């Protein structure tokens, strides 16, 4: 160990070796995140990890209130900037209230969406300023970066077919058009190209079982579980 290293004081709580892991799932609507998160959380629990599953926006009392404003179909008058700030606000809350303390306690967290969603949806989908979004994401997450991000990628047409088969009420965000979804998918592509070590693209057109096995294998290998 170098002299300087031995004197380093770790002020960043998330740099502790006992820290848990943050795994995030990303993808356009209809990519099957919830199903795969369920599989991964069961597999990791079976291999002895304490897993906490969270969703964004949401996961805290304040975050759930923000979620209901964001997804309320009657809020057709919400401007894009308000939408962006609300997603960022919900994220800041969940990071400080839940994610950081749980990681410090050694827990593994699987989060359904995180900061990449804002870059893909509000940045590429809505075409808001990417530099502003990067600053807001930074403000909301601080040093709390995902250890690994699973991006479930599939063509927009396939996602739409799957959404059409689901029996559920549409929310405000579901009312977006195909061009918006294409741009959002392109956003994920750009993010994955920029950070290939963190973001793993998974072909979400393969069968549920094959995909679940591949995700579990990748997580085990990369995070040496
Ligand atoms: P999600 O709960 O993943 O939707 P579903 O379960 O219906 O797939 O996310 C809700 C919606 O919010 C989804 O359309 C994506 C959108 N969203 C953003 O636009 N920006 C964000 O930062 C986040 C977290 C979500």
């Amino acid at each position: 160990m170098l002299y300087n290293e031995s004197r380093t004081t770790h002020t960043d709580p998330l740099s502790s070796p006992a820290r848990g892991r943050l795994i995030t799932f990303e993808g356009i609507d209809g990519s099957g995140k919830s199903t795969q998160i369920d599989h991964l959380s069961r597999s990791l629990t079976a291999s002895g990890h304490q897993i906490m599953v969270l969703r964004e926006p949401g996961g805290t009392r304040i975050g759930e209130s923000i979620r209901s404003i964001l997804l309320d179909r009657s809020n057709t008058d919400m401007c894009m900037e308000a939408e962006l700030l609300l997603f960022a606000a919900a994220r800041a809350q969940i990071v400080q209230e839940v994610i950081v303390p749980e990681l410090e306690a050694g827990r593994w967290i699987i989060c359904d969406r995180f900061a990449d969603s804002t870059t893909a949806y509000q940045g590429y989908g809505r075409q808001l300023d990417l530099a502003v979004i990067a600053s807001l994401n930074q403000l909301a997450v601080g040093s709390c970066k995902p250890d690994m991000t699973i991006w479930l990628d599939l063509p927009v047409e396939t996602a739409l077919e799957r959404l059409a088969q689901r029996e559920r009420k549409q929310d405000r965000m579901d009312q977006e058009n195909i061009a918006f979804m294409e741009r959002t998918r392109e956003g994920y592509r750009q993010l994955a190209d920029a950070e290939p070590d963190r973001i793993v693209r998974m072909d979400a057109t393969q069968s549920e079982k094959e995909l679940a096995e591949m995700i579990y294998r990748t997580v085990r290998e990369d995070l040496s579980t």
Side-chain angles (χ1 to χ4, degrees):
M1 183 185 281
L2 295 172
Y3 174 72
N4 278 344
E5 278 182 358
S6 66
R7 288 173 55 86
T8 306
T9 6
H10 289 290
T11 45
D12 177 0
L14 293 180
S15 65
S16 141
R19 171 189 181 271
R21 296 282 196 282
L22 175 59
I23 303 166
T24 60
F25 273 71
E26 294 285 354
I28 56 173
D29 293 45
S31 56
K33 286 180 293 97
S34 317
T35 311
Q36 291 302 330
I37 286 172
D38 204 38
H39 283 298
L40 181 63
S41 116
R42 280 166 204 262
S43 303
L44 287 173
T45 304
S47 66
H49 293 281
Q50 281 191 299
I51 303 293
M52 175 178 241
V53 177
L54 300 171
R55 72 169 176 185
E56 267 233 52
T60 62
R61 186 180 60 81
I62 291 170
E64 290 296 331
S65 302
I66 297 175
R67 181 184 178 88
S68 61
I69 299 172
L70 278 164
L71 301 185
D72 185 341
R73 283 182 61 141
S74 64
N75 284 339
T76 49
D77 49 346
M78 187 185 298
C79 69
M80 295 190 287
E81 290 75 10
E83 178 187 279
L84 168 64
L85 292 166
L86 286 171
F87 278 119
R91 181 160 311 121
Q93 190 67 34
I94 199 174
V95 164
Q96 290 187 41
E97 188 180 321
V98 185
I99 298 182
V100 167
E102 292 293 337
L103 289 176
E104 279 177 36
R107 197 110 51 221
W108 283 48
I109 297 177
I110 302 178
C111 197
D112 188 343
R113 300 195 179 281
F114 202 55
D116 296 323
S117 279
T118 304
T119 308
Y121 279 78
Q122 279 64 51
Y124 286 81
R126 299 263 189 252
Q127 301 175 298
L128 289 173
D129 189 328
L130 288 171
V132 171
I133 290 175
S135 311
L136 280 174
N137 277 342
Q138 175 59 38
L139 178 69
V141 309
S143 63
C144 182
K145 302 271 160 54
D147 296 282
M148 179 186 275
T149 296
I150 308 285
W151 167 34
L152 301 185
D153 185 36
L154 81 177
V156 168
E157 310 83 70
T158 317
L160 286 170
E161 279 164 23
R162 289 187 184 176
L163 287 172
Q165 282 161 13
R166 279 192 210 163
E167 275 186 35
R168 66 179 192 116
K169 247 179 86 197
Q170 288 213 326
D171 60 45
R172 192 183 62 87
M173 296 298 297
D174 287 328
Q175 294 167 332
E176 289 308 330
N177 58 30
I178 295 176
F180 175 89
M181 289 178 81
E182 292 286 5
R183 287 198 300 275
T184 304
R185 185 186 184 200
E186 177 57 25
Y188 281 124
R189 229 181 253 132
Q190 299 286 337
L191 282 164
D193 282 351
E195 282 188 79
D197 290 344
R198 172 174 68 87
I199 303 180
V200 187
R201 178 189 172 274
M202 296 276 173
D203 176 1
T205 60
Q206 59 191 313
S207 78
E208 181 183 327
K209 190 162 171 278
E210 279 173 327
L211 188 55
E213 282 168 6
M214 189 176 283
I215 292 171
Y216 183 49
R217 214 177 319 127
T218 308
V219 169
R220 281 187 65 116
E221 280 165 14
D222 283 33
L223 303 181
S224 26
T225 67

